[in-house]
Amino acid sequence: VYSGYATPKLRNCIFSSNTATLGGGAVYQLANLDCAECTFIGNQDLYHNGGGALWCLFGVFGGVNIRCCVFTGNRSPNNGGAIRTDDPDACLISECTFTRNSGARGGAIWFISGSILIEKTICRDNCATWAGSDDIYADTPVSLTIACSDVNPNEIDADDVVYEEGVIDLDPMFCDGLACGLDTGGDY
């Protein structure tokens, strides 16, 4: 999906096995985005732009809202295996799950700038293939707040992070996951 300066509302969609050469393997958005109850699985940015599943540029006057979504198995040879955001006024990620995504920096998510709130979200077992953190990478100046979520603080690379009440660092999986970069050996 390519969207210029509209504000799409994506609801109950499944984006699977899509590829893109410009970035955002499934969705490339040039303005605000409202995404809820969607699944992004196995999408890929092919040529180093980032956002294996989703790339949001310039989310102004409302920003980027992603709620109740699952991101798994998305890839980018650049940053943000699942999501890349550039310059949103505000970005809310709520009640989402990120697992088994891979990107150069920020195996799951790469934020370039903006005010970011991640709440009620699981972000585990993602892979950074170059440097930085396996789960979340935030450039300066990003204001990142994480609340009531299951994240590993050692897998978050950001200068300005506020951890609010309810943040835990526990493996949410009941079985052994796949090792980073391997396609076999685990239960999911």
Side-chain angles (χ1 to χ4, degrees):
V1 174
Y2 171 84
S3 177
Y5 295 97
T7 302
K9 292 185 178 187
L10 305 175
R11 298 288 187 268
N12 300 308
C13 298
I14 298 173
F15 297 93
S16 179
S17 304
N18 296 289
T19 59
T21 58
L22 187 57
V27 177
Y28 180 74
Q29 174 61 22
L30 293 177
N32 300 328
L33 177 67
D34 187 358
C35 181
E37 299 177 3
C38 294
T39 300
F40 296 84
I41 184 167
N43 300 290
Q44 184 175 4
D45 157 39
L46 298 174
Y47 295 109
H48 306 287
N49 291 310
L54 183 60
W55 184 7
C56 297
L57 292 159
F58 315 119
V60 295
F61 310 116
V64 175
N65 294 302
I66 302 169
R67 297 176 321 281
C68 302
C69 293
V70 174
F71 294 84
T72 186
N74 301 290
R75 298 181 308 184
S76 173
N78 198 325
N79 303 324
I83 296 176
R84 171 185 174 167
T85 65
D86 296 33
D87 304 315
D89 280 352
C91 178
L92 169 66
I93 296 176
S94 180
E95 300 179 74
C96 293
T97 299
F98 295 85
T99 189
R100 295 187 59 207
N101 301 289
S102 65
R105 289 186 293 180
I109 307 167
W110 181 35
F111 299 113
I112 292 183
S113 65
S115 177
I116 314 298
L117 171 60
I118 297 174
E119 65 178 12
K120 302 175 191 169
T121 291
I122 298 170
C123 190
R124 306 292 292 209
D125 299 323
N126 299 285
C127 297
T129 57
W130 181 61
S133 68
D134 282 340
D135 291 329
I136 299 169
Y137 185 88
D139 282 338
T140 303
V142 169
S143 173
L144 175 61
T145 301
I146 301 175
C148 195
S149 294
D150 186 357
V151 298
N152 179 347
N154 294 326
E155 299 300 341
I156 298 171
D157 190 347
D159 290 335
D160 183 12
V161 182
V162 174
Y163 295 98
E164 293 189 345
E165 187 175 342
V167 175
I168 61 171
D169 176 15
L170 297 172
D171 185 356
M173 308 303 175
F174 59 91
C175 299
D176 293 331
L178 299 177
C180 187
L182 301 177
D183 290 331
T184 61
D187 296 323
Y188 57 90

